[in-house]
Amino acid sequence: MLKRLPVIFLMLCGVAILSQAQAITTDRLDNQPQRPGAPRDLDSPEREMISRAAIRHDEAVHRENIERAKEGSDLGAQLLDTFTRYQALSREDIKKLERMEKLARKIRGGVGGSNDDAELEDTPRDLAAALKRLAELSEDLHKRVEKTTRHVVSAAVIERSNEVIELLRHIRTITRP
C-alpha cells in the first residue's frame, strides 16, 4: 500500500493542476478582445464550438484507449494459447509482446499516467506462469479501461498498465538466451 501512495498523490496533484489549468483557460477565453458588437456572454458560438471540439477529442481518446486495451487483451490471450500449444514463442510472438508494451504505454499516457515503473510482486519464474499472468493482467486492464469514463483519471488503470509493462520486460528477459 505504501508503494501506491506516491502514485495516488501524483494523481491527485494532476487532477488539481488540470482543474486549475481549465479555470485559467476559461478566464483567458472570457478576457479575449471582442469584435465590436460581438456578444460577450458565455453562450457565444465560438465558445460552444471550442467546448464541443474538446468533448469530441476526449471521447476519441477514450475510445482509442478502449480499443488499445481490447487489442492488448486479445494479444495476451493469443500468446498464452500459442505457448500452451507449442511450449515456445516465435518471432511473431516476440513482436506481439512489443506491440502489447506499446499499447500499454499509450493507455497509460492517455489516462494521464507517467513513466513510473511498478515493481512486480511475486514475479513469475517461468515463461508459462508469466504468460498466464500477462493474459490475466491484460484482461483486467481491458475491463478497467472500459469501466472508466473519459472524465476520470484512474490510478488503477495507470497501475495496471505499469504492471503489464514491467511483466512484459520480465518476459523478454526470460525469452532471451
Side-chain angles (χ1 to χ4, degrees), residues 96-113:
K96 288 179 183 179
L97 290 171
E98 292 170 2
R99 174 74 180 150
M100 283 185 73
E101 184 172 353
K102 287 179 184 177
L103 292 169
R105 287 180 186 279
K106 287 182 180 181
I107 291 168
R108 181 181 64 189
V111 296

Side-chain angles (χ1 to χ4, degrees), residues 69 138-148:
S138 60
E139 177 61 27
D140 185 52
L141 176 61
H142 176 234
K143 288 177 182 176
R144 288 175 189 254
V145 170
E146 279 188 324
K147 289 179 185 176
T148 304

Side-chain angles (χ1 to χ4, degrees), residues 16-45:
I17 290 169
L18 288 174
S19 64
Q20 184 64 27
Q22 184 178 5
I24 290 170
T25 303
T26 303
D27 289 344
R28 286 184 183 163
L29 287 174
D30 288 340
N31 294 325
Q32 290 292 320
Q34 297 290 315
R35 295 183 316 259
R40 181 138 173 104
D41 62 352
L42 293 175
D43 295 327
S44 69

